[in-house]
Amino acid sequence: MTASSYMGRTRGGTEWEPEFVTEIDQQQCIGCGRCFKTCPRNVFDLVEREVDEDDPMYDDYDDDVVMVMELADADDCIGCGACARVCSKNCMTHTKASALL
Ligand code: SF4
Ligand code: SF4
């Protein structure tokens, strides 16, 4: 793949470069599911993560696990950026397509 093969265009003809999701910060994620509902592809999956007992954030939390989002299939991302816009915890890292070559 070359950088130009990833470049797209808007309907009006303006060149546009996708920014693919490359990481989710599961320490910040609250498992709200907004990114999952927003994504037009099959990139995300909600999974259980063991609670870090040393983290004071979970002092009053009874369960051993919390639900967090993970990247189930990052290769299915089209780089639209919608997930980052709906995440209230700023968990997502996106990378320009040309930087991944
Ligand atoms: S950038 Fe778009 S396609 Fe990629 S994970 Fe986010 S919402 Fe889904
Ligand atoms: S929108 Fe953000 S906080 Fe909510 S599940 Fe997705 S990554 Fe986690």
Side-chain angles (χ1 to χ4, degrees), residues 55-76:
D55 188 337
M57 178 177 161
Y58 298 110
D59 281 352
D60 298 324
Y61 193 74
D62 292 331
D63 288 337
D64 294 333
V65 294
V66 289
M67 300 305 290
V68 292
M69 203 58 72
E70 77 169 10
L71 293 178
D73 186 3
D75 284 350
D76 202 35

Side-chain angles (χ1 to χ4, degrees), residues 24 28-36 46 69 83 86-92:
I24 298 176
Q28 295 297 319
C29 178
I30 55 173
C32 68
R34 292 179 76 185
C35 55
F36 184 92
L46 202 55
M69 203 58 72
C83 52
V86 298
C87 181
S88 63
K89 304 298 284 183
N90 201 22
C91 301
M92 309 288 179

Side-chain angles (χ1 to χ4, degrees), residues 20-26 44 71 74 90-95:
F20 300 120
V21 66
T22 46
E23 197 176 332
I24 298 176
D25 184 347
Q26 292 188 335
F44 298 117
L71 293 178
N90 201 22
C91 301
M92 309 288 179
T93 300
H94 285 73
T95 306

